[in-house]
Amino acid sequence: MQIYLLLYIVFAGACVGLLALMNDFGTALIFFLAFLVVAFLRSGQLSTILLGGASAGLATVMVLTFRPYVLGRFKAWRNVWAYADSLGYQQTWVMTCAASGGMLGLGIGRGWLKRVAAADTDLVFGMICEEWGMITAVCVVLVIVLMAVFTVKQAGSGRSTFYSIASCTAVSILVVQTMLNVCGSVDVLPLTGVTFPFISNGGSSMLCAWGLLAFIKAADVRPGASFAIKQVPFRLRRARHE
């Protein structure tokens, strides 16, 4: 067991390290948290999370030391209005346009935020608030939250440990990605430049989101939930575990 855990840590570190070398720190953070979820669900030990947190702290120090522009984002964090003409330009416009949309929005295509770079990808939450309204924006976020609740509730009755861990990890990625996109846009968290699942423009992002949804769907054991996978009778599932 220990050798497999060691190999897993090496693999996870290599993936996150390569993403960091590509300067894609937002995706690196998402992958890191996903690896923590897998490690915790597989081992069931809180020490795994603590070890991962310590590693993340060391990695953060190294990133801030060797990538000064990342430090600039932290410098502007929670104070973007003081950097409205530089580091906080995008976030200040997101908050301004989101507020102008009110509860029901200005209407599709009538917003101003679309003129800002990455408005339909990294800042798409602001576009939803401006053109569709705050009610729709909150509902979009709640869809991801409800998906997470459903996944966690059905994880205990999955077809196997693999399906349960895969579905929980997949929904964790979607939740973290949504949180980084939404909170980064409105300056609750530093802007990381990640997309909003199923909403942001981009083919690869959409494919990845649907791929993660497939893992969640594969773990659904409700009668008639899947036409492709036959429902295994409870007595057979119990016999397999025994």
Side-chain angles (χ1 to χ4, degrees):
M1 179 65 69
Q2 295 299 327
I3 186 62
Y4 290 115
L5 180 60
L6 179 60
L7 291 174
Y8 173 77
I9 293 174
V10 172
F11 172 74
C15 292
V16 174
L18 289 174
L19 287 169
L21 290 176
M22 296 165 59
N23 292 330
D24 193 352
F25 295 104
T27 304
L29 176 60
I30 294 172
F31 271 58
F32 172 76
L33 294 176
F35 287 135
L36 281 185
V37 171
V38 174
F40 177 74
L41 292 177
R42 187 65 183 89
S43 66
Q45 298 178 356
L46 186 59
S47 58
T48 304
I49 304 297
L50 297 177
L51 179 60
S55 302
L58 178 60
T60 301
V61 173
M62 294 178 63
V63 167
L64 296 179
T65 302
F66 296 103
R67 294 291 189 271
Y69 79 92
V70 178
L71 182 60
R73 290 188 176 182
F74 278 91
K75 183 179 179 181
W77 177 38
R78 305 296 296 167
N79 195 30
V80 292
W81 294 101
Y83 301 89
D85 58 346
S86 56
L87 297 173
Y89 177 79
Q90 291 176 300
Q91 290 162 294
T92 53
W93 274 113
V94 167
M95 290 186 283
T96 301
C97 294
S100 67
M103 300 300 292
L104 301 178
L106 303 177
I108 302 175
R110 297 183 179 180
W112 189 93
L113 187 61
K114 60 186 177 182
R115 298 180 175 87
V116 178
D120 59 349
T121 53
D122 303 344
L123 310 175
V124 72
F125 180 74
M127 286 192 65
I128 297 175
C129 291
E130 183 184 22
E131 299 187 2
W132 291 79
M134 183 60 66
I135 295 177
T136 302
V138 171
C139 289
V140 169
V141 175
L142 285 178
V143 168
I144 304 296
V145 174
L146 292 176
M147 188 185 303
V149 173
F150 165 78
T151 303
V152 172
K153 288 185 65 176
Q154 58 86 38
S157 59
R159 293 183 175 88
S160 66
T161 303
F162 170 81
Y163 283 107
S164 297
I165 294 178
S167 61
C168 289
T169 305
V171 82
S172 297
I173 293 175
L174 294 176
V175 169
V176 172
Q177 192 172 339
T178 301
M179 180 184 68
L180 291 177
N181 181 280
V182 174
C183 296
S185 298
V186 296
D187 198 31
V188 175
L189 292 175
L191 184 63
T192 53
V194 298
T195 56
F196 196 122
F198 306 107
I199 301 297
S200 293
N201 185 23
S204 60
S205 175
M206 189 65 70
L207 287 174
C208 291
W210 281 101
L212 293 172
L213 185 61
F215 279 103
I216 299 172
K217 182 61 179 175
D220 190 355
V221 295
R222 293 174 301 167
S226 175
F227 295 104
I229 302 177
K230 297 296 184 181
Q231 177 70 25
V232 179
F234 175 75
R235 63 180 183 277
L236 295 181
R237 280 188 286 152
R238 185 174 59 182
R240 290 178 182 177
H241 288 293
E242 293 177 350

